[in-house]
Amino acid sequence: MENEYILEMKSISKLFPGVKALDDVKLQVRPGTVHSLMGENGAGKSTLMKCLFGIYSIDQGEIILDGRKVQFSSPAEALENHVSMVHQELNQVLDQNVMENLWLGRYPIKGGLIDDKKMYEDTMKIFNDLDINVDPKAKVGTLPVSQKQMIEIGKAVSYNAKVIVMDEPTSSLTEKEVEHLFRIIRKLIEKNSSVIYISHKMEEILTISDDVTVMRDGKWIATQLASSLTIDNIIKMMVGREMTERYPQKDTQPSSEILMEVKNLSSASTKFSGINFELHRGEILGVAGLVGSKRTEVLETIFGINQKDEGQILVEGKEVRNRFPGESIKNGFAMLTEERRKDGIFSGLSVAFNLVIDNLDSYIKNGLLNNKLIKIDVDKMIQAFKIKTPSGSQRIGNLSGGNQQKVILGRWLLTHPTILLLDEPTRGIDVGAKYEIYQLINQLVAEGKGIIIVSSEMPELLGICDRILVMSNGHQSGIFDAKDVSQEQIMQASAKFI
C-alpha cells in the first residue's frame, strides 16, 4: 500500500543558545503535491527545512521519508536519499561553468578523465525536460540571478529527488520567469515529485499550492487545503492578528526642494545611458523594470560601485563625484544591495559587528573603541527594528533572512545618510516584517531623507512610492506619479524597446 505521505516530520524541536527555534512542529507532505510553508521571518520555516536536509540535527521528534525513519547527518546524505533543496541564498562556484556546478563532486569519468561530452548531454537532457534555456558551458558568475536559480532547480532534479524544497524561489524573478518556474513545478508534480515551497508572496501560494502549513514563533499553527484559504486567512494565521492594510499610510508629502539631481548618467561598462531624474527631500522614488533593464546598475553607479562614463550627480545643487562607495558614504549616501549574503553581511560575525562596521570611526576615542557607545547603538537598533535575536553578540548567520535585512538597514542608518538607495529591500521578507520596513521608510522620509527603491513587486512600488521611474533595456522609459499610474502602464513602459 502506498504511503499517504511521502514525508512526515513529527514533534520536531530545535534549540539554539537562548532560542527555541522549533517547538513541537509537524509537517505532512502528500506525494505529487506542492506543500507551501508560510510564516513570518523567524517563524522557523528555514530551520525546519535545514533539519530535514541534514544541515541541523533535531533535538526532538522524528522524520519519516517514504515510510522509513531517517535523520540525515549532512546535505550529501539527504541528496543520496532523494531529498533536495534550492536555497534562498544561492551558493554556487561562480568561476565554474553551469554543468560543472550541476554535477559538482560527481562528474562523469571516462578513462580516468572527466567526460565533458556526457556531462553536457546529461545537463541538456535535464534542461530540455524542464524547458530551462541556459547554456551548460556558460560561466555561472556571468549569469543573472534568475538563471542561477534555474541551475539549482536542474541540480535538484539531477538527484532524482522525491522531495524538493524551494526556499523563496521567486524572490529575484520577474512575472514571466515566475510563470516559467510554475510550469517547471507542475512538470515535477506530474512525475510524482513533491515540492515544499517557502514564500511570502500570498498570490503565488494560492496559485501554485495544494496544501499550506502556517508556522508562527517556531510552532505549527495550521495545515489547510490551499483551495480553502484566502490571503486574509493566511495573514491572520501568520501574524496572529488581523492586518487590514498591506502598506502603512504615509503622513508626509515630498517637499519642493530638490535633494538630488541626476543628469544624463551613462555607463558603457554596465550598458545603460541617458538617465535623468530629480529626487525631492522627503520623497520615495521607485525604480521599476524587467530583469536586464539595468535598474540595479543605475543604483550601483550612483553609489560608486560601477564607474560612470558621462553625466552628473548633484546633491543640494552641488556636484558630487561618488567614485567609490567610501566617497559616496561621506557624501551622505547609503546602499542596501539585493544579494545580502554575497554583498551585505559578515555571516560568521555578530549582529553588533554587522550593525557598526560601516561607522566604526565614530566609536573611536583616543585610539580605542568605545564599547559602551557601540552597545547603546546596537541595543537601540535591535529595539527600533524589532530584530529577533537573543542579543547583539548572536552570529548574524543564525538569524532569519528578514532579520538579517533589518540589521543591514540598521547599519546604514547609523552612518546618518541623507539619500538611501534600496535594492529589493523586502526581498524574501514576510508580510509583518515588510510592514515594519515600510513604516521605517516612511519615518525616514518624514525626517527629510530621500529614498530610491528598486523593486520587482509592482504592488509594493505603487503602495509606498511617490513617483516611479521605469527602465527598459538600459534606458529610462518614463516617470509616473504613483497615484495616477496602473500596473499595466508600468508593464507597457517596462517592455518598450528603446
Side-chain angles (χ1 to χ4, degrees), residues 260-496:
M260 176 176 76
E261 197 172 357
V262 169
K263 294 182 175 179
N264 196 33
L265 190 68
S266 302
S267 168
S269 62
T270 51
K271 300 183 175 65
F272 73 80
S273 62
I275 306 302
N276 292 278
F277 66 86
E278 294 168 350
L279 177 70
H280 292 254
R281 193 175 286 282
E283 180 180 27
I284 302 171
L285 176 69
V287 184
L290 304 173
V291 167
S293 64
K294 307 299 178 185
R295 301 167 305 175
T296 292
E297 288 78 0
V298 169
L299 257 62
E300 288 178 343
T301 304
I302 291 170
F303 193 59
I305 294 169
N306 304 323
Q307 296 308 301
K308 65 179 168 63
D309 293 312
E310 278 181 57
Q312 291 178 297
I313 302 163
L314 293 92
V315 176
E316 296 174 330
K318 183 182 161 198
E319 185 171 2
V320 295
R321 297 186 68 185
N322 287 9
R323 291 163 297 182
F324 49 89
E327 186 174 26
S328 304
I329 293 166
K330 286 196 176 100
N331 289 329
F333 287 77
M335 180 166 176
L336 183 79
T337 57
E338 179 186 1
E339 293 191 59
R340 64 176 167 257
R341 178 151 301 204
K342 179 172 151 241
D343 305 322
I345 65 165
F346 301 90
S347 64
L349 297 170
S350 69
V351 168
F353 178 90
N354 276 274
L355 274 166
V356 302
I357 183 59
D358 283 329
N359 202 32
L360 275 181
D361 288 353
S362 67
Y363 301 109
I364 294 171
K365 197 173 180 183
N366 302 324
L368 296 171
L369 271 177
N370 185 332
N371 288 313
K372 192 176 173 186
L373 196 55
I374 287 175
K375 188 173 185 327
I376 289 167
D377 277 357
V378 166
D379 289 348
K380 184 173 81 181
M381 283 297 162
I382 288 172
Q383 199 173 350
F385 280 41
K386 299 179 185 166
I387 298 166
K388 287 183 183 171
T389 178
S391 71
S393 59
Q394 174 72 277
R395 269 184 64 232
I396 192 172
N398 290 342
L399 269 55
S400 68
N403 283 301
Q404 290 176 5
Q405 194 81 317
K406 289 181 188 178
V407 170
I408 301 167
L409 259 174
R411 174 203 299 170
W412 282 119
L413 288 193
L414 287 172
T415 68
H416 305 292
T418 309
I419 297 161
L420 280 97
L421 312 173
L422 308 179
D423 194 356
E424 302 286 3
T426 64
R427 176 187 165 202
I429 291 180
D430 65 78
V431 67
K434 275 184 180 181
Y435 194 86
E436 288 168 4
I437 285 177
Y438 299 147
Q439 284 178 314
L440 180 75
I441 288 169
N442 284 350
Q443 188 185 318
L444 294 170
V445 289
E447 292 167 9
K449 298 184 191 302
I451 296 180
I452 302 177
I453 293 179
V454 164
S455 175
S456 301
E457 292 187 41
M458 205 85 72
E460 176 171 86
L461 290 175
L462 292 167
I464 64 169
C465 297
D466 298 295
R467 291 184 302 144
I468 298 168
L469 182 153
V470 184
M471 297 280 298
S472 177
N473 296 300
H475 297 84
Q476 183 174 328
S477 61
I479 297 184
F480 302 91
D481 192 309
K483 289 193 296 292
D484 304 329
V485 70
S486 67
Q487 289 200 36
E488 288 73 23
Q489 287 170 298
I490 291 174
M491 280 306 294
Q492 283 167 359
S494 302
K496 266 188 195 173

